[in-house]
């Protein structure tokens, strides 16, 4: 492999939003745009050491957030993000054993979900005991190395539910947590093969996971 100089990755973000707060409710809405130049990308098929600069891209979208406190020691918060991420120009060069010289202008940037929503809830059963939960939804995504958006298979959408019960005694906090309560079979990373057009590798994430934890803060 030969040494390869990379340009520094830069980004410029524009955002405008509005916040509103009431006695038991708050809300936020914002629109954003991020222009990215020379994004550094791991590409094992380049002539260098495995990294390359991608053509310029743009991410723009909307962020919405709503928080409600329906009762004492009960908080519920919903967030939603819509992101449209696209390459603005350029070709993806590929390599000697891969798909080469693909025009990616206007194509969707891989590994960026268009929709993401999170629902968080916290219940203070007592002033020292809390039950919290989260539901996270992520829409489908193009796989890594599918800059051409023509593989025909995406990372599927998934929904994950987490729960945690904790109790505080002085400076100590302990409890139990269950991640992926429903045992969702999912993955958030997959890579397209650059050798065979219709092949890809996926990296599954754990199904249901049980954990116990103990924390202690010194100096209290």
């Amino acid at each position: 492999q030969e040494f390869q100089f990379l340009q520094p990755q830069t980004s410029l973000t524009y955002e405008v939003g509005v916040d509103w707060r009431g006695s038991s409710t708050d809300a936020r809405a914002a629109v954003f745009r991020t222009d990215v130049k020379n994004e550094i990308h791991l590409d094992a098929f380049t002539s260098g050491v495995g990294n390359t600069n991608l053509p310029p891209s743009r991410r723009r979208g909307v962020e919405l957030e709503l928080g409600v406190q329906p009762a004492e020691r009960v908080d519920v918060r919903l967030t939603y993000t819509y992101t449209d991420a696209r390459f603005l120009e350029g070709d993806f060069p590929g390599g000697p054993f891969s798909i080469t010289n693909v025009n990616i202008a206007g194509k969707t940037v891989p590994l960026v979900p268009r929709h993401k929503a999170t629902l968080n809830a916290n219940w203070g059963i007592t002033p020292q005991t809390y039950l919290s939960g989260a539901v996270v939804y992520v829409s489908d995504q193009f796989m890594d190395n599918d800059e051409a958006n023509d593989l025909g298979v995406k990372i599927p959408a998934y929904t994950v539910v987490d729960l945690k019960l904790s109790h505080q005694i002085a400076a100590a906090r302990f409890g139990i947590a269950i991640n992926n309560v429903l045992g969702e079979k999912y993955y958030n990373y997959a890579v397209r093969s650059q050798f065979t057009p219709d092949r890809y590798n996926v990296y599954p994430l754990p199904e249901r996971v049980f954990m116990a934890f103990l924390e202690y803060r010194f100096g209290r």
Side-chain angles (χ1 to χ4, degrees):
Q1 288 183 334
E2 61 185 80
F3 186 78
Q4 177 175 315
F5 284 101
L6 296 174
Q7 296 295 322
Q9 177 177 326
T10 61
S11 63
L12 181 62
T13 298
Y14 307 88
E15 181 174 337
V16 60
V18 60
D19 288 271
W20 176 83
R21 294 185 181 275
S23 58
S24 60
T25 307
D26 64 88
R28 175 180 176 272
V31 294
F32 65 88
R33 190 183 92 179
T34 300
D35 296 326
V36 182
K37 293 182 178 180
N38 298 314
E39 181 175 353
I40 296 175
H41 175 71
L42 175 63
D43 183 4
F45 304 97
T46 62
S47 60
V49 294
N51 288 323
T52 188
N53 289 119
L54 291 180
S57 62
R58 173 175 296 161
R59 292 157 173 79
R60 54 187 176 184
V62 179
E63 296 177 338
L64 302 174
E65 184 173 345
L66 175 65
V68 179
Q69 188 176 14
E72 187 179 3
R73 295 199 303 270
V74 177
D75 297 289
V76 180
R77 185 163 298 275
L78 175 65
T79 60
Y80 167 76
T81 302
Y82 170 84
T83 305
D84 180 38
R86 296 184 183 275
F87 292 106
L88 300 179
E89 61 183 58
D91 296 323
F92 198 67
F97 302 104
S98 64
I99 302 169
T100 59
N101 299 321
V102 177
N103 188 313
I104 59 174
K107 300 295 185 179
T108 298
V109 178
L111 301 179
V112 180
R114 182 156 293 193
H115 306 279
K116 182 176 181 179
T118 302
L119 176 64
N120 288 291
N122 294 283
W123 174 30
I125 303 172
T126 71
Q128 292 79 34
T129 306
Y130 274 83
L131 176 65
S132 61
V135 181
V136 179
Y137 167 79
V138 179
S139 66
D140 57 12
Q141 309 161 57
F142 285 101
M143 295 183 182
D144 201 6
N145 286 346
D146 189 19
E147 282 80 4
N149 298 170
D150 62 359
L151 175 61
V153 180
K154 293 182 178 181
I155 298 173
Y158 59 87
T159 302
V160 177
V161 180
D162 299 330
L163 289 174
K164 182 168 69 174
L165 178 65
S166 62
H167 184 73
Q168 185 89 31
I169 299 179
R173 189 169 75 98
F174 58 92
I176 57 173
I178 308 175
N179 292 339
N180 194 4
V181 173
L182 302 180
E184 177 89 349
K185 296 180 179 180
Y186 74 107
Y187 53 93
N188 60 10
Y189 183 80
V191 60
R192 174 182 185 167
S193 171
Q194 295 295 296
F195 298 96
T196 308
D198 62 347
R199 295 291 185 267
Y200 54 91
N201 294 327
V202 303
Y203 299 84
L205 290 168
E207 296 180 33
R208 189 178 298 108
V209 176
F210 297 87
M211 296 185 296
F213 61 89
L214 172 63
E215 301 174 357
Y216 186 88
R217 291 189 178 184
F218 294 93
R220 293 186 58 180

